[in-house]
Amino acid sequence: VQLVESGGGLVQAGGSLRLSCAASGFTSDEFEDYGIGWFRQAPGKGREGVSAIKRSDGNAWYSESVKGRFTISSDNAKNTVYLQMNSLKPEDTAVYYCALDPDYGSRYPYVGGPPAFEFHYWGQGTQVTVSS
């Protein structure tokens, strides 16, 4: 399984970015109801769950810190998940990772968001920097 993020960069506060996560190396028969999550880690801080989406029905979860500003979506034909980030703030600065949980659907819904340890496959991360 391979996950490749793209779309990070430098943007001013109030601006927008769209991250992409292209997933490959597996079939829908192997992971029937997987989920893709976005996590971020700022310097000196722990990893934080941002958003996640269930492949089978598109049900989405958002952390309170991004709700109303970020939108997660998926193109199942391309095995790609997007994170549209609007109204960016300096505190959104972090390395953003996408990750795949093969059994996401069996544990959905999560109370308080999906735990990172359930996501077995991770991308290399993409830097998002928001200047004030």
Side-chain angles (χ1 to χ4, degrees):
V1 175
Q2 186 176 22
L3 302 173
V4 179
E5 303 101 333
S6 61
L10 173 64
V11 65
Q12 287 188 332
S16 299
L17 284 173
R18 189 177 81 155
L19 305 183
S20 298
C21 174
S24 62
F26 62 96
T27 67
S28 57
D29 289 339
E30 293 175 292
F31 300 155
E32 293 184 356
D33 202 5
Y34 68 87
I36 295 283
W38 285 98
F39 296 81
R40 66 187 181 186
Q41 188 163 17
K45 295 188 176 181
R47 187 166 46 190
E48 173 192 14
V50 174
S51 182
I53 189 166
K54 187 153 68 85
R55 177 195 181 274
S56 59
D57 57 15
N59 273 318
W61 168 84
Y62 299 94
S63 69
E64 288 300 319
S65 61
V66 306
K67 195 173 292 184
R69 300 187 297 122
F70 291 11
T71 303
I72 192 169
S73 62
S74 67
D75 183 336
N76 288 343
K78 295 182 179 180
N79 272 355
T80 300
V81 170
Y82 305 97
L83 186 67
Q84 178 67 43
M85 306 186 296
N86 298 330
S87 302
L88 282 162
K89 306 175 182 180
E91 50 264 44
D92 293 318
T93 295
V95 177
Y96 283 70
Y97 301 89
C98 69
L100 186 150
D101 174 0
D103 298 316
Y104 187 85
S106 67
R107 290 184 283 269
Y108 186 88
Y110 291 93
V111 176
F117 69 83
E118 296 288 8
F119 289 80
H120 299 176
Y121 306 96
W122 290 78
Q124 81 287 352
T126 186
Q127 177 70 46
V128 171
T129 303
V130 184
S131 63
S132 57

